[in-house]
Coordinates of all heavy atoms in Angstrom, one line a residue:
Chain A
S139 N 20.4 26.7 -9.8 CA 19.2 26.1 -9.2 C 18.2 25.8 -10.3 O 17.5 24.8 -10.3 CB 18.7 27.0 -8.1 OG 18.1 28.1 -8.7
A140 N 18.2 26.7 -11.3 CA 17.3 26.5 -12.5 C 17.8 25.2 -13.3 O 16.9 24.4 -13.7 CB 17.2 27.7 -13.4
A141 N 19.1 25.2 -13.4 CA 19.6 24.0 -14.2 C 19.4 22.7 -13.5 O 19.1 21.7 -14.1 CB 21.1 24.2 -14.5
V142 N 19.4 22.7 -12.1 CA 19.0 21.5 -11.4 C 17.6 21.1 -11.7 O 17.3 19.9 -11.9 CB 19.3 21.8 -9.9 CG1 18.6 20.6 -9.1 CG2 20.7 21.9 -9.5
G143 N 16.7 22.0 -11.6 CA 15.3 21.7 -11.9 C 15.1 21.1 -13.3 O 14.5 20.1 -13.5
M144 N 15.8 21.7 -14.3 CA 15.7 21.1 -15.6 C 16.3 19.8 -15.7 O 15.8 18.9 -16.4 CB 16.4 22.1 -16.6 CG 15.6 23.4 -16.8 SD 16.6 24.8 -17.4 CE 16.9 24.3 -19.1
A145 N 17.5 19.6 -15.0 CA 18.1 18.3 -15.0 C 17.2 17.2 -14.5 O 17.1 16.1 -15.1 CB 19.4 18.3 -14.2
V146 N 16.5 17.5 -13.4 CA 15.6 16.5 -12.8 C 14.5 16.2 -13.8 O 14.1 15.0 -14.0 CB 15.1 17.0 -11.4 CG1 14.0 16.0 -10.9 CG2 16.2 17.1 -10.4
A147 N 13.9 17.2 -14.4 CA 12.9 17.0 -15.4 C 13.4 16.1 -16.6 O 12.7 15.2 -17.0 CB 12.4 18.3 -15.9
V148 N 14.6 16.4 -17.0 CA 15.1 15.6 -18.1 C 15.3 14.1 -17.7 O 15.1 13.2 -18.4 CB 16.5 16.2 -18.6 CG1 17.2 15.3 -19.5 CG2 16.2 17.5 -19.3
A149 N 15.8 14.0 -16.4 CA 15.9 12.6 -15.9 C 14.6 11.9 -15.9 O 14.5 10.7 -16.3 CB 16.5 12.6 -14.5
L150 N 13.5 12.6 -15.6 CA 12.2 11.9 -15.6 C 11.8 11.6 -17.0 O 11.2 10.5 -17.3 CB 11.2 12.8 -14.9 CG 9.7 12.2 -14.8 CD1 9.7 10.9 -14.1 CD2 8.8 13.2 -14.2
M151 N 12.1 12.5 -17.9 CA 11.8 12.3 -19.3 C 12.5 11.0 -19.8 O 11.9 10.2 -20.5 CB 12.2 13.4 -20.2 CG 11.5 14.7 -20.0 SD 12.2 15.9 -21.2 CE 11.9 17.4 -20.4
R152 N 13.7 10.9 -19.4 CA 14.5 9.7 -19.8 C 13.9 8.4 -19.2 O 13.9 7.4 -19.8 CB 16.0 9.8 -19.3 CG 16.7 10.9 -20.1 CD 18.2 10.8 -19.9 NE 18.9 11.9 -20.4 CZ 19.6 12.8 -19.7 NH1 19.6 12.7 -18.4 NH2 20.2 13.8 -20.3
G153 N 13.4 8.6 -18.0 CA 12.7 7.4 -17.3 C 11.5 6.9 -18.2 O 11.4 5.7 -18.4
F154 N 10.8 7.9 -18.8 CA 9.7 7.5 -19.6 C 10.2 6.9 -21.0 O 9.6 6.0 -21.6 CB 8.8 8.7 -19.9 CG 7.8 8.9 -18.8 CD1 7.9 10.1 -18.0 CD2 6.7 8.1 -18.6 CE1 7.0 10.3 -17.0 CE2 5.8 8.3 -17.5 CZ 6.0 9.4 -16.8
A155 N 11.3 7.5 -21.5 CA 11.7 7.2 -22.8 C 12.6 5.9 -22.8 O 12.5 5.1 -23.8 CB 12.6 8.3 -23.4
R156 N 13.3 5.6 -21.8 CA 14.2 4.5 -21.8 C 13.5 3.2 -21.4 O 12.5 3.2 -20.8 CB 15.4 4.7 -20.9 CG 16.3 5.9 -21.4 CD 17.5 6.1 -20.6 NE 18.3 7.1 -21.2 CZ 19.5 7.5 -20.7 NH1 20.0 6.9 -19.6 NH2 20.2 8.4 -21.2
R157 N 14.2 2.1 -21.8 CA 13.6 0.8 -21.5 C 14.6 -0.1 -20.9 O 15.8 -0.2 -21.4 CB 13.1 0.1 -22.8 CG 12.0 0.9 -23.4 CD 11.7 0.4 -24.8 NE 10.8 1.4 -25.4 CZ 10.3 1.3 -26.7 NH1 10.6 0.3 -27.4 NH2 9.5 2.2 -27.1
R158 N 14.2 -0.8 -19.9 CA 15.0 -1.8 -19.3 C 16.5 -1.4 -19.0 O 17.4 -2.0 -19.4 CB 15.1 -3.1 -20.1 CG 13.8 -3.8 -20.3 CD 13.8 -5.2 -20.4 NE 12.5 -5.8 -20.4 CZ 11.7 -5.9 -21.5 NH1 12.2 -5.4 -22.7 NH2 10.5 -6.4 -21.5
T159 N 16.6 -0.2 -18.3 CA 17.9 0.2 -18.0 C 17.8 0.8 -16.6 O 16.8 1.2 -16.1 CB 18.4 1.3 -19.0 OG1 19.6 1.9 -18.5 CG2 17.3 2.4 -19.1
E160 N 19.0 1.0 -16.0 CA 19.0 1.6 -14.6 C 19.4 3.1 -14.8 O 19.3 3.9 -13.9 CB 20.1 0.9 -13.8 CG 19.7 -0.5 -13.4 CD 18.7 -0.6 -12.3 OE1 18.5 0.4 -11.5 OE2 18.0 -1.6 -12.2
G161 N 20.0 3.4 -16.0 CA 20.7 4.7 -16.1 C 19.7 5.8 -16.5 O 18.8 5.6 -17.3
L162 N 19.8 7.0 -15.8 CA 19.0 8.1 -16.1 C 19.8 9.3 -16.7 O 19.3 10.4 -16.7 CB 18.3 8.6 -14.8 CG 17.3 7.7 -14.1 CD1 16.8 8.3 -12.9 CD2 16.1 7.5 -15.1
G163 N 21.0 9.0 -17.1 CA 21.8 10.1 -17.6 C 22.8 10.5 -16.5 O 22.9 9.9 -15.5
N164 N 23.5 11.6 -16.7 CA 24.5 12.1 -15.8 C 24.2 13.5 -15.3 O 24.0 14.4 -16.1 CB 25.9 12.1 -16.5 CG 27.0 12.4 -15.5 OD1 27.0 13.4 -14.9 ND2 27.9 11.4 -15.4
F165 N 24.0 13.6 -14.0 CA 23.5 14.9 -13.4 C 24.5 16.0 -13.8 O 24.1 17.1 -14.1 CB 23.4 14.8 -11.9 CG 23.2 16.1 -11.2 CD1 22.0 16.8 -11.4 CD2 24.2 16.6 -10.5 CE1 21.8 18.1 -10.8 CE2 24.0 17.9 -9.9 CZ 22.8 18.6 -10.1
W166 N 25.8 15.7 -13.7 CA 26.8 16.8 -13.9 C 26.7 17.3 -15.3 O 26.8 18.5 -15.5 CB 28.2 16.3 -13.5 CG 28.2 15.7 -12.1 CD1 28.2 14.4 -11.7 CD2 28.1 16.5 -10.9 NE1 28.2 14.3 -10.4 CE2 28.1 15.5 -9.8 CE3 28.0 17.8 -10.6 CZ2 28.0 15.9 -8.5 CZ3 27.9 18.2 -9.3 CH2 27.9 17.3 -8.2
V167 N 26.5 16.4 -16.2 CA 26.5 16.8 -17.6 C 25.2 17.6 -17.9 O 25.2 18.7 -18.5 CB 26.5 15.5 -18.5 CG1 26.2 15.9 -20.0 CG2 27.8 14.8 -18.4
D168 N 24.1 17.1 -17.3 CA 22.8 17.8 -17.5 C 22.9 19.2 -16.9 O 22.4 20.2 -17.4 CB 21.7 17.1 -16.8 CG 21.4 15.8 -17.6 OD1 21.8 15.6 -18.7 OD2 20.8 14.8 -17.0
L169 N 23.6 19.3 -15.7 CA 23.7 20.6 -15.0 C 24.5 21.6 -15.8 O 24.1 22.7 -16.1 CB 24.3 20.3 -13.6 CG 24.7 21.6 -12.8 CD1 23.4 22.2 -12.2 CD2 25.6 21.2 -11.7
V170 N 25.7 21.1 -16.3 CA 26.6 22.0 -17.0 C 26.0 22.4 -18.3 O 26.0 23.6 -18.7 CB 28.0 21.3 -17.2 CG1 28.8 22.0 -18.1 CG2 28.6 21.1 -15.8
R171 N 25.4 21.4 -19.0 CA 24.9 21.8 -20.3 C 23.7 22.8 -20.2 O 23.6 23.7 -21.0 CB 24.4 20.5 -21.1 CG 25.5 19.7 -21.6 CD 25.0 18.6 -22.4 NE 26.1 17.7 -22.9 CZ 25.9 16.6 -23.6 NH1 24.7 16.3 -23.9 NH2 26.9 15.9 -23.9
G172 N 22.8 22.5 -19.2 CA 21.7 23.4 -19.0 C 22.1 24.8 -18.7 O 21.6 25.8 -19.3
T173 N 23.2 24.9 -17.9 CA 23.6 26.2 -17.6 C 24.3 26.9 -18.8 O 24.0 28.0 -19.1 CB 24.7 26.1 -16.4 OG1 24.1 25.3 -15.4 CG2 25.0 27.5 -15.9
L174 N 25.3 26.2 -19.4 CA 26.1 26.8 -20.4 C 25.4 27.0 -21.7 O 25.6 28.0 -22.4 CB 27.4 26.1 -20.6 CG 28.4 26.0 -19.3 CD1 29.7 25.3 -19.7 CD2 28.6 27.4 -18.9
R175 N 24.7 26.0 -22.1 CA 24.1 26.0 -23.5 C 22.7 26.6 -23.6 O 22.3 26.9 -24.6 CB 24.1 24.6 -24.0 CG 25.5 23.9 -24.1 CD 25.4 22.8 -25.1 NE 26.5 21.8 -24.8 CZ 26.5 20.6 -25.4 NH1 25.6 20.2 -26.2 NH2 27.5 19.8 -25.1
I176 N 22.0 26.6 -22.4 CA 20.6 27.0 -22.5 C 20.4 28.4 -21.7 O 20.1 29.4 -22.3 CB 19.6 26.0 -22.0 CG1 19.7 24.7 -22.8 CG2 18.2 26.5 -22.0 CD1 18.9 23.5 -22.2
L177 N 20.7 28.3 -20.4 CA 20.4 29.5 -19.6 C 21.3 30.7 -19.9 O 20.9 31.8 -20.1 CB 20.5 29.1 -18.1 CG 19.5 28.1 -17.7 CD1 19.8 27.6 -16.3 CD2 18.1 28.7 -17.7
L178 N 22.6 30.4 -20.1 CA 23.6 31.5 -20.2 C 23.3 32.3 -21.5 O 23.2 33.5 -21.5 CB 25.0 31.0 -20.2 CG 26.1 31.9 -19.6 CD1 25.7 32.5 -18.3 CD2 27.4 31.2 -19.5
P179 N 23.2 31.6 -22.7 CA 23.0 32.4 -23.9 C 21.7 33.2 -23.9 O 21.6 34.4 -24.3 CB 22.9 31.4 -25.0 CG 23.4 30.1 -24.4 CD 23.3 30.2 -23.0
I180 N 20.6 32.6 -23.4 CA 19.3 33.3 -23.4 C 19.3 34.4 -22.4 O 18.9 35.5 -22.7 CB 18.1 32.3 -23.2 CG1 18.1 31.2 -24.1 CG2 16.8 33.1 -23.2 CD1 17.0 30.2 -23.9
A181 N 19.9 34.2 -21.3 CA 20.0 35.2 -20.2 C 20.8 36.4 -20.8 O 20.5 37.6 -20.5 CB 20.6 34.7 -19.0
F182 N 21.9 36.1 -21.5 CA 22.7 37.2 -22.1 C 21.9 38.1 -23.0 O 21.9 39.3 -22.9 CB 23.9 36.6 -22.8 CG 24.8 37.6 -23.4 CD1 25.7 38.3 -22.5 CD2 24.8 38.0 -24.7 CE1 26.6 39.3 -23.1 CE2 25.6 38.9 -25.2 CZ 26.5 39.6 -24.4
L183 N 21.2 37.4 -23.9 CA 20.3 38.2 -24.8 C 19.3 39.0 -24.1 O 19.0 40.2 -24.4 CB 19.6 37.2 -25.8 CG 20.6 36.5 -26.8 CD1 19.7 35.6 -27.7 CD2 21.3 37.6 -27.7
G184 N 18.7 38.3 -23.1 CA 17.7 39.0 -22.3 C 18.2 40.2 -21.6 O 17.6 41.3 -21.5
A185 N 19.4 40.1 -21.0 CA 20.1 41.2 -20.3 C 20.3 42.4 -21.2 O 20.0 43.5 -20.9 CB 21.3 40.7 -19.6
V186 N 20.8 42.1 -22.4 CA 21.1 43.1 -23.4 C 19.8 43.9 -23.7 O 19.7 45.1 -23.7 CB 21.8 42.6 -24.6 CG1 21.8 43.6 -25.7 CG2 23.2 42.0 -24.3
A187 N 18.8 43.1 -23.9 CA 17.5 43.7 -24.3 C 17.0 44.6 -23.1 O 16.4 45.6 -23.3 CB 16.4 42.6 -24.6
L188 N 17.1 44.1 -21.9 CA 16.7 44.8 -20.7 C 17.5 46.1 -20.6 O 16.9 47.2 -20.2 CB 16.8 44.0 -19.5 CG 15.7 42.9 -19.3 CD1 16.0 41.9 -18.2 CD2 14.3 43.5 -19.2
V189 N 18.8 46.0 -20.8 CA 19.6 47.3 -20.8 C 19.1 48.3 -21.8 O 18.9 49.5 -21.5 CB 21.1 47.0 -21.0 CG1 21.9 48.3 -21.2 CG2 21.7 46.2 -19.8
A190 N 18.7 47.8 -23.0 CA 18.2 48.6 -24.0 C 16.9 49.3 -23.5 O 16.5 50.4 -23.9 CB 17.9 47.8 -25.3
G191 N 16.2 48.5 -22.7 CA 14.9 49.1 -22.2 C 15.1 50.0 -21.0 O 14.1 50.5 -20.5
G192 N 16.3 50.1 -20.5 CA 16.5 51.1 -19.4 C 16.9 50.5 -18.1 O 17.1 51.2 -17.1
V193 N 17.1 49.2 -18.0 CA 17.5 48.5 -16.8 C 19.0 48.9 -16.6 O 19.8 48.8 -17.5 CB 17.3 47.0 -16.8 CG1 17.8 46.4 -15.5 CG2 15.9 46.7 -17.1
V194 N 19.4 49.2 -15.3 CA 20.8 49.6 -15.1 C 21.7 48.4 -15.0 O 21.3 47.3 -14.7 CB 20.9 50.4 -13.8 CG1 20.0 51.7 -13.8 CG2 20.6 49.6 -12.6
Q195 N 23.0 48.7 -15.3 CA 24.0 47.6 -15.2 C 25.3 48.3 -14.9 O 26.0 48.9 -15.8 CB 24.1 46.9 -16.5 CG 25.1 45.8 -16.6 CD 24.8 44.5 -15.8 OE1 23.7 44.4 -15.3 NE2 25.7 43.6 -15.7
N196 N 25.7 48.4 -13.6 CA 27.0 49.0 -13.3 C 27.5 48.4 -12.0 O 26.8 47.6 -11.4 CB 26.8 50.5 -13.1 CG 25.7 50.9 -12.1 OD1 25.6 50.3 -11.0 ND2 24.8 51.8 -12.5
L197 N 28.6 48.9 -11.6 CA 29.2 48.4 -10.3 C 29.3 49.5 -9.3 O 30.2 49.5 -8.5 CB 30.5 47.7 -10.5 CG 30.4 46.3 -11.2 CD1 31.8 45.7 -11.4 CD2 29.6 45.4 -10.3
Q198 N 28.5 50.5 -9.5 CA 28.6 51.7 -8.7 C 28.3 51.5 -7.2 O 27.4 50.7 -6.9 CB 27.7 52.7 -9.2 CG 28.2 54.1 -9.2 CD 27.8 54.9 -10.4 OE1 26.8 54.6 -11.0 NE2 28.7 55.8 -10.9
D199 N 29.0 52.2 -6.4 CA 28.7 52.3 -5.0 C 27.5 53.2 -4.8 O 27.6 54.4 -5.3 CB 29.9 52.8 -4.2 CG 29.7 52.6 -2.7 OD1 28.6 52.7 -2.2 OD2 30.8 52.3 -2.0
P200 N 26.5 52.8 -4.2 CA 25.3 53.7 -4.1 C 25.7 55.1 -3.4 O 25.1 56.1 -3.7 CB 24.3 52.9 -3.2 CG 25.0 51.8 -2.7 CD 26.2 51.6 -3.6
A201 N 26.7 55.0 -2.6 CA 27.1 56.3 -1.9 C 27.5 57.3 -2.9 O 27.4 58.5 -2.7 CB 28.2 56.0 -0.9
D202 N 28.1 56.9 -4.1 CA 28.6 57.8 -5.1 C 27.4 58.4 -5.9 O 27.7 59.2 -6.8 CB 29.6 57.2 -6.0 CG 30.7 56.6 -5.3 OD1 30.9 57.0 -4.1 OD2 31.4 55.7 -5.8
H203 N 26.3 57.9 -5.7 CA 25.2 58.2 -6.7 C 24.1 58.9 -6.0 O 23.0 58.4 -5.8 CB 24.7 56.9 -7.4 CG 24.3 57.2 -8.8 ND1 25.1 57.2 -9.8 CD2 23.0 57.5 -9.3 CE1 24.4 57.4 -11.0 NE2 23.2 57.6 -10.6
T204 N 24.3 60.1 -5.7 CA 23.3 60.9 -5.0 C 22.8 62.0 -5.9 O 23.6 62.7 -6.6 CB 23.9 61.6 -3.7 OG1 24.6 60.6 -3.0 CG2 22.8 62.1 -2.8
V205 N 21.5 62.1 -6.0 CA 21.0 63.1 -6.9 C 20.1 64.1 -6.1 O 19.7 63.8 -5.0 CB 20.1 62.5 -8.0 CG1 20.9 61.6 -8.9 CG2 18.9 61.7 -7.3
T206 N 19.9 65.2 -6.7 CA 19.0 66.2 -6.1 C 17.6 66.1 -6.7 O 17.5 66.0 -7.9 CB 19.5 67.6 -6.4 OG1 20.9 67.7 -6.1 CG2 18.8 68.7 -5.5
T207 N 16.7 65.9 -5.9 CA 15.3 65.7 -6.4 C 14.7 67.0 -6.8 O 15.2 68.1 -6.5 CB 14.4 65.0 -5.3 OG1 14.3 65.9 -4.2 CG2 15.0 63.7 -4.9
V208 N 13.5 66.9 -7.4 CA 12.8 68.1 -7.9 C 12.5 69.1 -6.8 O 12.6 70.3 -6.9 CB 11.4 67.6 -8.5 CG1 10.8 68.8 -9.2 CG2 11.7 66.5 -9.5
T209 N 12.2 68.5 -5.6 CA 11.9 69.4 -4.5 C 13.1 69.9 -3.8 O 13.0 70.7 -2.9 CB 11.1 68.6 -3.4 OG1 11.8 67.4 -3.1 CG2 9.7 68.3 -4.0
G210 N 14.3 69.6 -4.3 CA 15.5 70.1 -3.7 C 16.2 69.3 -2.7 O 17.3 69.5 -2.3
G211 N 15.6 68.2 -2.3 CA 16.2 67.3 -1.3 C 17.3 66.4 -2.0 O 17.4 66.5 -3.3
S212 N 18.0 65.7 -1.2 CA 19.0 64.8 -1.9 C 18.7 63.4 -1.6 O 18.2 63.0 -0.6 CB 20.4 65.1 -1.4 OG 20.8 64.2 -0.4
Q213 N 18.9 62.5 -2.7 CA 18.4 61.1 -2.6 C 19.6 60.2 -3.1 O 20.1 60.5 -4.2 CB 17.2 60.9 -3.4 CG 16.6 59.5 -3.2 CD 15.4 59.3 -4.1 OE1 14.9 60.2 -4.7 NE2 14.9 58.0 -4.1
T214 N 19.8 59.2 -2.4 CA 20.8 58.2 -2.9 C 20.1 57.2 -3.8 O 19.1 56.6 -3.4 CB 21.4 57.5 -1.7 OG1 22.0 58.4 -0.8 CG2 22.5 56.5 -2.2
L215 N 20.7 57.0 -5.0 CA 20.1 56.0 -5.9 C 21.0 54.8 -6.0 O 22.1 54.9 -6.5 CB 20.0 56.6 -7.3 CG 18.9 57.7 -7.5 CD1 18.9 58.1 -9.0 CD2 17.6 57.2 -7.0
P216 N 20.6 53.7 -5.4 CA 21.4 52.5 -5.5 C 21.4 52.0 -6.9 O 20.4 51.9 -7.5 CB 20.8 51.6 -4.5 CG 19.4 52.0 -4.3 CD 19.3 53.5 -4.7
G217 N 22.6 51.6 -7.4 CA 22.7 51.0 -8.7 C 23.3 49.6 -8.5 O 23.2 49.0 -7.4
G218 N 23.9 49.0 -9.6 CA 24.5 47.7 -9.5 C 24.3 46.9 -10.7 O 23.7 47.4 -11.7

Side-chain angles (χ1 to χ4, degrees):
Chain A
S139 68
V142 166
M144 289 157 72
V146 173
V148 169
L150 181 59
M151 292 182 209
R152 292 194 186 112
F154 280 110
R156 294 184 174 183
R157 294 168 194 183
R158 298 213 174 81
T159 173
E160 293 283 339
L162 289 179
N164 187 302
F165 169 69
W166 305 106
V167 172
D168 293 338
L169 175 74
V170 168
R171 286 188 184 175
T173 310
L174 295 185
R175 299 197 203 171
I176 299 170
L177 295 171
L178 211 51
I180 304 177
F182 181 78
L183 292 177
V186 170
L188 286 170
V189 168
V193 179
V194 302
Q195 177 75 7
N196 56 48
L197 284 179
Q198 217 140 28
D199 191 326
D202 302 342
H203 212 85
T204 312
V205 294
T206 312
T207 61
V208 188
T209 52
S212 98
Q213 188 185 350
T214 305
L215 289 185

